[in-house]
Amino acid sequence: MLETTKNIGKDFVLSVEGLTVSFDGFKAVNDLSFYVEENEIRVIIGPNGAGKTTVLDLICGRTAATEGSIKFKGKELTKMKEHQIVHTGVGRKFQNPSIYEDLTVFENLELSFPRGHSVFGALFFKRDKEVIEKISEIAAMIFLGDKLGMSADLLSHGQKQWLEIGMLLIQDPELLMLDEPVAGMSVSERKQTADLLHRITKDRSVLVIEHDMQFVAEIADRVTVLHQGKVLSEGSMERVQSDPKVIEVYLGH
Amino acid sequence: MFAEYTASELTSIFAMQGFAGLILFSVFVLMALGLAIIFGQMGVINMAHGEFMILGAYVTYLVSHLFADYMPESLYNSYFLIAMVLAFFVAGALGAFVEWAMIRHLYKRPLDTLLATWGLSLIMQQTYRTVFGAREVGVVLPDWLMGSVQLTDMIEIPINGIFVMILTVVITIGVAIMMQRSRLGKQTRAVVQNRPMAAAVGINTEKVDRLTFALGCGIAGIAGSAFTMIGSTGPTSGQLYIVDTFLVVVFGGAASLLGTVASAFTISQAQSTMEFFLSGSMAKVLTLLTVVGILMLRPEGLFTLKIRR
Amino acid sequence: MNNITEFIARNRYSHMIILALLLAVVLPLSMDIFRLNLVGKYLTYAFVALGLVLCWGYGGILSLGQGVFFGLGGYCMAMFLKLEASSPENTQIQSTPGIPDFMDWNQITELPWFWEPFHSFGFTLVAVLVVPALFAFIIAVAMFKRRVGGVYFAIITQAIAAILTILIIGQQGYTGGVNGITDLRTLNGWDIRTDSAKYVLYYVNVVLLFACIFIAGFVVKSKLGRLLVAMREREDRVRFSGYDVSNFKIFVFCLAAMISAIGGAMFTLQVGFMSPSFVGIVPSIEMVIFCALGGRLSILGAVYGTLLVNFAKTSFSESFPELWLFAMGALFIGVVMAFPNGLAGIYQTYIEPRLISKKKGYEKEDPKKKDDNPALANPEEEKTHA
């Protein structure tokens, strides 16, 4: 994992530059820059209030940036609306499982199927073979193959997390953003999730926020440490863990 | 449209209409204060707010009759103060009951609260009609509120209007101080900002909710009391103002009392000034349209600075 | 056994057939034309309630101004009928013959420009749908693109209802004022006041209502219907699944407006007048209770709810007028607090399971099991919302 020169023009999937957002003068993210390469798994860690979730909010358009740019595959995201950002290939999982509890697992996945996203597209959407096959495939992948007809509110917490990951997978995003995917999971669920993430992160870039250091060490290609809205340190897990600045604010107490 | 008036006439017109606007302003503020507390602090839409106000008016009406019939005439002049206090407590008590019986079950369903309180308003209206009759009732003003003050030969101001305005100012300042300084005010704001945290530090959030709702209704009762000074009271008088008042509150940016006052002032002045040049209904249409238009452009209200998610 | 399973599977249609029989056969046979005409009038409100099922029940958008669209549809139709009734021959005694009588009373000497196109029946039919839809579109775009919703939307739509009422009453030279547009007689020469015309119009109304029921059913069963439910729950998630949420809200609000407008136009035809008392705050919120009583998620429930409330209103106002407001108020409170899913909810929870278990007595299989095949999963069978 060499920290080679960040030459401009290298094909980063995501480049965040000079990103700043301020809420009534408080800068939750302050002049932040980082770059994610193709097929890289990047984990963002940092103490509470470091601005981790805000960074994801900014990338997916939930919060408007005050300054700076976010380029995804060369396209500027800061001016786009949420659904447009999704269509460029960014998928986002929320911290608390965000699924439709009034609908079945099948319907949850179906709504994320990347077709019929306009009003009339949705009105005349046909549940054809392609859709059913794709959903079955994804459902099997997220360990919910036998729960398709179940109402989503009956799932366990861990299963809800998987369902949301499945909803992202079906969109087949090039950049997958996961906010604490193993939070609140049992040990066995966590293991399954790590497994799942290993399988699904092939062929795409992933941005993960996670607190669980063991889990981070397991999956991360590189780690970015945020502190007070800025990058404190960046690099491989070992490098970050031995960085005295990081030890001071985060790892050691 | 100004061409046919001379400058001094115009000044007088604006002054007189401005004054009429101030009376309307007082009614708006008095009604909106209670509503702003309930909606701004609790997020509850109380469609029966006008009926709570009318309850205060009927209480005042009853007290004035009691005084006229059973008390020595010399005391009649002071009936109003007693009526106002009584109106506050009667409306507040009913508010507390309604919160306990109805509102608290619906906090997570704001749209349903709106429908349920509408149902409540229908019941209250019909109760008034059954008890007091469909006709409007009025109170006899005490002597010291009769008459008017002649400012210039064209401008004349009725004393009861002045009294209501002074009352409005006093009540507004009182409510503002209470929300800022009193224990209940502080607890209410704490609950609004972070309910679980407030509960964790030992605030009885259910009690705070009930008291806040009761307070809002009590203020509506006082408003109703003041209302009898400038108009008569009928079973549906409250409903006439409910939409305007909601617009006042929303326009002012639900959470701030100052915004509520500023927006009540803007809307009432705009309406009464326009009323002189256009027909009353067109003035109202134009005012409401402007307000709705501005709200569409600026949904967070005109007088709020910036809202955080 | 196959027959029974099939009957259950096609259960939804059986409910629809029952309603169709009730409206098209039972009521016309058991009532005189006066009562039937009254039912026809109630059914025009059912259009509004149906629209509310879509935008409020499914979309979570509570509009307290649906009377506006009912009224706009009704007024468009009334303008056409009024012009036909105000032919120069019929209005010879006026100082300006050929214009509606109320204009003449208000010293207007020329037909206003926006009345002119309503000489054409074709234009009127288009206007009945397009005018309310356009109006709804403007409101919806302004509000939903800025993500205003919930109680704010309710209050603003209520204010719009108030504004339109004041405007109609205030501009009586152009609108007929508080009395509305009255004394409507013929439709393209066909006298709509005769008993036979009333029968015809009643059936036209029922057919149109079923057309709207089918449209609403199609919307609800489509992916768009599920999206509405999803949006009501987690708007953000829908956005981050790549949907422009506002467009869906705009669509469903406009659709509800158009359905309401059809009701308004049919009201004018069957009742013979249109007035601002069907536009304002009070009728608009009453229409919400029709929908709520029937069950805000039930398309057919909206029809039953409307009929029930209105029958109750009529019989109450005949015998105990003073009690009606109490009953209405109690209805609002009771439905919201005790039965948020209305009659349809009660039916689904208490009555339907018994019906099915009786009919399927010898089959052990739980009727809900048919959901097991996801491809056939039926969105209509969602669990009731607690």
Side-chain angles (χ1 to χ4, degrees):
Chain A
M1 214 63 53
L2 294 170
E3 280 291 292
T4 45
T5 48
K6 288 172 185 161
N7 38 358
I8 316 295
K10 190 177 171 187
D11 47 349
F12 295 113
V13 170
L14 179 77
S15 21
V16 174
E17 279 170 357
L19 192 63
T20 302
V21 67
S22 87
F23 300 117
D24 289 341
F26 167 70
K27 289 187 174 171
V29 171
N30 190 358
D31 196 21
L32 177 75
S33 303
F34 68 93
Y35 305 84
V36 178
E37 284 174 37
E38 207 164 320
N39 297 342
E40 175 187 347
I41 302 184
R42 170 74 59 95
V43 181
I44 301 179
I45 60 172
N48 283 330
K52 304 181 298 282
T53 299
T54 310
V55 171
L56 295 202
D57 282 348
L58 284 162
I59 296 173
C60 71
R62 196 178 191 211
T63 304
T66 313
E67 259 177 78
S69 97
I70 302 166
K71 279 211 172 68
F72 174 67
K73 294 192 298 179
K75 284 179 213 149
E76 181 61 49
L77 297 188
T78 46
K79 298 282 179 292
M80 285 190 201
K81 288 194 170 165
E82 294 98 325
H83 64 101
Q84 292 166 325
I85 294 174
V86 172
H87 289 298
T88 62
V90 178
R92 153 98 192 254
K93 190 199 157 304
F94 290 92
Q95 197 164 348
N96 298 314
S98 174
I99 56 167
Y100 314 124
E101 305 200 328
D102 278 353
L103 300 178
T104 63
V105 171
F106 183 92
E107 289 166 340
N108 266 281
L109 291 169
E110 186 188 45
L111 288 190
S112 309
F113 190 82
R115 198 177 71 201
H117 277 197
S118 68
V119 169
F120 291 99
L123 198 55
F124 299 107
F125 178 84
K126 275 254 171 8
R127 190 179 281 176
D128 57 19
K129 220 172 136 208
E130 187 197 347
V131 177
I132 294 171
E133 274 171 9
K134 182 77 185 168
I135 289 175
S136 309
E137 179 198 326
I138 298 283
M141 197 187 268
I142 56 171
F143 322 111
L144 296 174
D146 55 345
K147 304 224 162 32
L148 280 173
M150 201 180 197
S151 180
D153 64 338
L154 301 175
L155 297 176
S156 75
H157 180 80
Q159 288 171 326
K160 287 180 182 171
Q161 298 274 38
W162 293 335
L163 177 57
E164 197 183 352
I165 292 174
M167 288 161 73
L168 292 182
L169 287 181
I170 210 161
Q171 293 169 13
D172 200 15
E174 287 171 62
L175 174 66
L176 189 59
M177 301 197 293
L178 307 170
D179 200 343
E180 303 199 21
V182 295
M185 281 190 174
S186 67
V187 178
S188 68
E189 280 176 334
R190 215 180 62 192
K191 203 169 161 303
Q192 272 181 298
T193 308
D195 231 36
L196 172 68
L197 288 184
H198 275 304
R199 268 183 293 146
I200 64 174
T201 50
K202 282 177 213 148
D203 315 320
R204 69 184 101 227
S205 313
V206 185
L207 200 55
V208 189
I209 293 179
E210 192 47 71
H211 281 296
D212 187 321
M213 280 310 139
Q214 198 193 336
F215 185 79
V216 173
E218 246 174 74
I219 62 165
D221 290 334
R222 270 197 291 179
V223 176
T224 298
V225 186
L226 282 194
H227 181 54
Q228 292 174 350
K230 287 186 161 174
V231 175
L232 187 71
S233 177
E234 195 170 270
S236 68
M237 188 64 182
E238 299 86 56
R239 204 190 108 120
V240 165
Q241 267 174 323
S242 55
D243 188 329
K245 281 186 292 182
V246 177
I247 293 168
E248 192 191 327
V249 303
Y250 188 51
L251 292 172
H253 279 287
Chain B
M1 63 186 175
F2 297 116
E4 62 246 61
Y5 302 101
T6 67
S8 78
E9 273 175 339
L10 270 180
T11 319
S12 308
I13 288 167
F14 277 114
M16 293 290 281
Q17 290 304 119
F19 185 76
L22 283 177
I23 301 264
L24 189 64
F25 164 67
S26 306
V27 175
F28 278 172
V29 168
L30 285 172
M31 247 189 106
L33 274 182
L35 209 58
I37 289 174
I38 295 174
F39 180 49
Q41 311 288 326
M42 307 170 76
V44 168
I45 297 271
N46 180 14
M47 293 300 282
H49 196 79
E51 280 66 35
F52 277 97
M53 179 174 104
I54 293 307
L55 180 62
Y58 277 121
V59 167
T60 311
Y61 165 76
L62 285 180
V63 171
S64 85
H65 269 265
L66 280 178
F67 268 71
D69 293 351
Y70 300 107
M71 297 280 185
E73 211 169 306
S74 55
L75 278 180
Y76 188 77
N77 282 346
S78 58
Y79 86 87
F80 184 71
L81 282 178
I82 292 166
M84 209 167 70
V85 173
L86 206 59
F88 176 80
F89 282 105
V90 171
L94 185 66
F97 173 74
V98 166
E99 200 278 345
W100 172 78
M102 199 164 95
I103 310 285
R104 72 187 167 116
H105 304 289
L106 299 171
Y107 280 127
K108 291 197 177 124
R109 297 186 277 154
L111 293 178
D112 285 0
T113 319
L114 200 156
L115 296 177
T117 50
W118 176 266
L120 177 68
S121 81
L122 295 182
I123 291 176
M124 288 173 80
Q125 275 173 31
Q126 189 56 41
T127 310
Y128 299 150
R129 204 168 284 132
T130 312
V131 177
F132 299 100
R135 280 229 312 251
E136 299 201 331
V137 297
V139 299
V140 180
L141 292 180
D143 294 337
W144 55 280
L145 284 176
M146 307 272 212
S148 56
V149 179
Q150 195 86 20
L151 280 187
T152 69
D153 52 332
M154 286 185 72
I155 304 173
E156 186 180 9
I157 292 174
I159 293 176
N160 58 349
I162 299 177
F163 177 71
V164 168
M165 266 183 274
I166 294 171
L167 206 60
T168 306
V169 173
V170 171
I171 294 169
T172 309
I173 293 173
V175 169
I177 289 174
M178 184 156 58
M179 292 313 285
Q180 284 302 316
R181 294 285 157 81
S182 80
R183 199 173 160 74
L184 174 64
K186 283 177 184 162
Q187 289 186 341
T188 309
R189 283 183 293 136
V191 171
V192 169
Q193 281 176 13
N194 192 335
R195 184 170 290 267
M197 197 59 209
V201 298
I203 296 175
N204 182 345
T205 59
E206 283 182 23
K207 194 175 139 205
V208 170
D209 284 338
R210 189 150 318 142
L211 283 177
T212 312
F213 195 83
L215 176 69
C217 292
I219 294 170
I222 297 185
S225 216
F227 192 65
T228 58
M229 299 287 102
I230 46 175
S232 46
T233 309
T236 52
S237 308
Q239 208 177 47
L240 295 179
Y241 290 97
I242 192 78
V243 170
D244 303 47
T245 322
F246 267 118
L247 286 183
V248 165
V249 173
V250 176
F251 193 56
S256 85
L257 288 184
L258 197 65
T260 304
V261 174
S263 107
F265 186 78
T266 317
I267 294 179
S268 58
Q269 287 303 313
Q271 187 171 323
S272 63
T273 311
M274 268 195 282
E275 236 160 46
F276 191 82
F277 300 101
L278 301 161
S279 72
S281 66
M282 280 314 282
K284 185 143 189 181
V285 165
L286 278 182
T287 317
L288 293 185
L289 263 186
T290 315
V291 171
V292 167
I294 292 176
L295 279 179
M296 283 180 172
L297 297 176
R298 212 183 136 83
E300 69 274 27
L302 197 58
F303 300 100
T304 39
L305 294 170
K306 188 179 175 186
I307 45 166
R308 251 178 299 185
R309 265 199 243 240
Chain C
M1 199 154 100
N2 259 346
N3 287 345
I4 295 163
T5 343
E6 184 153 353
F7 174 72
I8 302 293
R10 291 157 65 87
N11 199 311
R12 194 168 49 243
Y13 294 104
S14 71
H15 292 156
M16 215 177 265
I17 291 165
I18 292 170
L19 180 65
L21 286 177
L22 177 72
L23 295 184
V25 182
V26 177
L27 292 182
L29 286 180
S30 61
M31 285 177 164
D32 58 32
I33 184 61
F34 173 75
R35 290 272 159 185
L36 191 67
N37 187 237
L38 214 53
V39 174
K41 182 172 106 176
Y42 302 159
L43 286 179
T44 62
Y45 305 144
F47 285 87
V48 184
L50 191 60
L52 280 165
V53 169
L54 291 177
C55 77
W56 177 43
Y58 280 85
I61 306 159
L62 177 58
S63 161
L64 294 181
Q66 289 306 89
V68 166
F69 307 115
F70 183 83
L72 285 175
Y75 267 99
C76 284
M77 185 55 83
M79 284 161 87
F80 171 76
L81 296 177
K82 188 69 191 173
L83 285 181
E84 192 174 309
S86 316
S87 64
E89 305 86 70
N90 286 344
T91 50
Q92 277 166 358
I93 48 162
Q94 290 177 185
S95 42
T96 317
I99 63 169
D101 46 13
F102 59 83
M103 292 189 187
D104 198 55
W105 302 332
N106 285 285
Q107 283 84 44
I108 287 173
T109 54
E110 203 185 344
L111 198 63
W113 60 267
F114 61 90
W115 273 76
E116 284 294 347
F118 286 93
H119 279 297
S120 147
F121 187 55
F123 176 87
T124 303
L125 287 186
V126 173
V128 161
L129 291 176
V130 170
V131 171
L134 211 61
F135 198 60
F137 183 76
I138 294 169
I139 298 170
V141 167
M143 305 288 284
F144 296 137
K145 286 285 178 194
R146 288 174 184 277
R147 300 191 186 168
V148 179
V151 290
Y152 285 87
F153 189 78
I155 290 174
I156 295 216
T157 45
Q158 187 169 51
I160 290 171
I163 293 171
L164 192 67
T165 319
I166 300 171
L167 191 68
I168 291 174
I169 293 175
Q171 298 297 308
Q172 53 174 335
Y174 300 108
T175 61
V178 71
N179 296 323
I181 300 181
T182 55
D183 205 11
L184 309 173
R185 297 164 199 171
T186 54
L187 174 74
N188 287 329
W190 175 54
D191 193 333
I192 57 170
R193 294 165 301 176
T194 62
D195 284 357
S196 65
K198 282 181 177 164
Y199 271 113
V200 173
L201 287 170
Y202 174 82
Y203 277 101
V204 171
N205 192 26
V206 170
V207 169
L208 285 173
L209 182 60
F210 269 90
C212 291
I213 287 175
F214 276 108
I215 293 173
F218 178 75
V219 169
V220 165
K221 271 180 285 167
S222 74
K223 191 175 92 168
L224 197 145
R226 269 158 278 149
L227 267 171
L228 290 176
V229 175
M231 265 157 44
R232 199 183 55 200
E233 262 188 276
R234 301 218 183 247
E235 203 172 305
D236 250 7
R237 181 72 264 169
V238 178
R239 244 179 230 131
F240 293 116
S241 295
Y243 296 93
D244 189 346
V245 167
S246 55
N247 286 348
F248 291 86
K249 291 188 173 178
I250 294 168
F251 171 79
V252 77
F253 187 62
C254 290
L255 182 64
M258 279 161 85
I259 293 178
S260 310
I262 298 174
M266 287 312 297
F267 178 94
T268 305
L269 283 170
Q270 292 185 93
V271 183
F273 77 101
M274 188 70 213
S275 89
S277 59
F278 301 97
V279 175
I281 295 173
V282 175
S284 295
I285 202 164
E286 276 185 6
M287 290 167 185
V288 174
I289 201 65
F290 302 162
C291 165
L293 178 71
R296 60 184 79 168
L297 289 169
S298 165
I299 291 171
L300 297 182
V303 180
Y304 288 113
T306 311
L307 288 178
L308 271 178
V309 178
N310 282 290
F311 275 125
K313 185 176 189 173
T314 312
S315 44
F316 262 104
S317 346
E318 278 167 7
S319 31
F320 322 97
E322 68 284 358
L323 284 184
W324 171 241
L325 275 187
F326 284 128
M328 190 79 166
L331 194 62
F332 268 101
I333 296 172
V335 164
V336 161
M337 295 193 62
F339 308 105
N341 286 305
L343 293 174
I346 296 174
Y347 174 77
Q348 275 158 12
T349 335
Y350 300 106
I351 302 173
E352 198 172 44
R354 292 184 187 194
L355 289 182
I356 289 174
S357 67
K358 263 183 201 162
K359 279 170 188 155
K360 299 188 66 173
Y362 47 89
E363 272 181 60
K364 293 233 172 76
E365 193 196 5
D366 179 353
K368 296 274 173 196
K369 279 278 167 64
K370 72 179 179 0
D371 280 5
D372 273 5
N373 181 351
L376 297 173
N378 182 347
E380 200 82 330
E381 296 281 324
E382 281 154 31
K383 65 186 185 69
T384 47
H385 312 284

